[in-house]
Amino acid sequence: MPKLIIVIASTRPGRVGLPVGEWFAERARAHGGFETEVVDLAQLRLPLMDEPNHPRLRRYTNEHTKAWSAQVGAADAFVLVTPEYNHGFTAPLKNALDYLHHEWQYKPVGFVSYGGIAAGTRAMQMLKPVLVALKMTPVVEAVNVPFVRQFIDDDEQFRPNEVLEQAADAMLDELERVESALRPLRTPVAV
Ligand SMILES: Cc1cc2nc3c(=O)[nH]c(=O)nc-3n(C[C@H](O)[C@H](O)[C@H](O)COP(=O)(O)O)c2cc1C
């Protein structure tokens, strides 16, 4: 079964990103198309980029980079759960992306974005050229949550409506299709 990594991109105390990410992970497990793993950037605690070499060279010097490389390299697809900060995505997410190169390539990526009136879509759109530079394939289907606080209950759980649930399933279906189509590009060709 292909492996999906769900990245929680907000790291601040009290973040909404945690319940949103946990909800999506549960939805992905129920979907059943992927083996699912959550990576919480607040727990991963990557320092600000501290490798001396371009990641293209894979000459990693730090244990945290080697571990991140192995984790991302073992995944087949990603979902980035990101808020919108000043009309962009989060700095920890950019940092985590920049650490690696080959490990991201030819893998599909979906988005759960959230924020105010724009539902985090400005952050999502800003992410796409960065991901394409890493040869990732963003899927069009997405979960975009407007005024995210309206979906957080008194126990700090995310309680989405049916529209958001359907959007999640549609995105997971598309990730599954694109993942299998991209797989030959990720398989090293024997010479
Ligand atoms: C530094 C910062 C910048 C923000 N900028 C935006 C913004 O540009 N657009 C928006 O819709 N919401 C913005 N917000 C509000 C966030 O959508 C809201 O606080 C959300 O809960 C942030 O996600 P988090 O709780 O996972 O950190 C901003 C919040 C912070 C902390």
Side-chain angles (χ1 to χ4, degrees):
M1 204 187 270
K3 186 169 190 178
L4 173 71
I5 283 188
I6 298 162
V7 178
I8 297 177
S10 70
T11 56
R12 64 181 192 90
R15 64 220 156 109
V16 161
L18 187 60
V20 173
E22 284 170 344
W23 160 73
F24 184 78
E26 207 177 299
R27 197 83 196 170
R29 285 186 197 108
H31 176 269
F34 296 94
E35 182 194 336
T36 299
E37 185 180 334
V38 175
V39 171
D40 178 354
L41 294 185
Q43 286 184 14
L44 193 69
R45 297 188 79 82
L46 280 174
L48 280 178
M49 176 59 159
D50 61 355
E51 285 292 336
N53 304 306
H54 193 294
R56 197 190 297 128
L57 303 173
R58 284 188 195 258
R59 287 210 302 264
Y60 303 132
T61 60
N62 297 305
E63 286 310 311
H64 55 254
T65 315
K66 291 174 190 167
W68 183 224
S69 165
Q71 196 167 17
V72 172
D76 301 293
F78 298 87
V79 167
L80 307 178
V81 180
T82 186
E84 185 172 289
Y85 284 175
N86 300 312
H87 296 193
F89 55 92
T90 70
L93 179 57
K94 182 66 162 61
N95 189 50
L97 290 165
D98 289 342
Y99 256 97
L100 307 176
H101 185 82
H102 299 280
E103 297 86 339
W104 300 113
Q105 289 187 346
Y106 304 119
K107 296 178 182 177
V109 53
F111 306 91
V112 177
S113 76
Y114 56 91
I117 196 162
T121 51
R122 290 173 290 214
M124 179 182 80
Q125 292 303 101
M126 268 200 189
L127 263 167
K128 287 181 182 175
V130 175
L131 301 169
V132 170
L134 291 166
K135 297 193 182 179
M136 299 184 84
T137 299
V139 298
V140 172
E141 287 77 1
V143 183
N144 304 120
V145 186
F147 298 109
V148 63
R149 271 272 151 207
Q150 70 182 307
F151 299 108
I152 303 291
D153 71 10
D154 293 343
D155 298 323
E156 291 295 307
Q157 298 299 304
F158 182 64
R159 304 282 178 212
N161 59 23
E162 207 176 309
V163 172
L164 296 172
E165 287 175 345
Q166 285 170 2
D169 293 343
M171 181 172 73
L172 286 159
D173 287 346
E174 184 68 359
L175 280 169
E176 212 180 343
R177 278 163 61 95
V178 177
E179 187 282 322
S180 63
L182 291 177
R183 207 175 299 159
L185 295 177
R186 298 200 300 276
T187 308
V189 179
V191 282

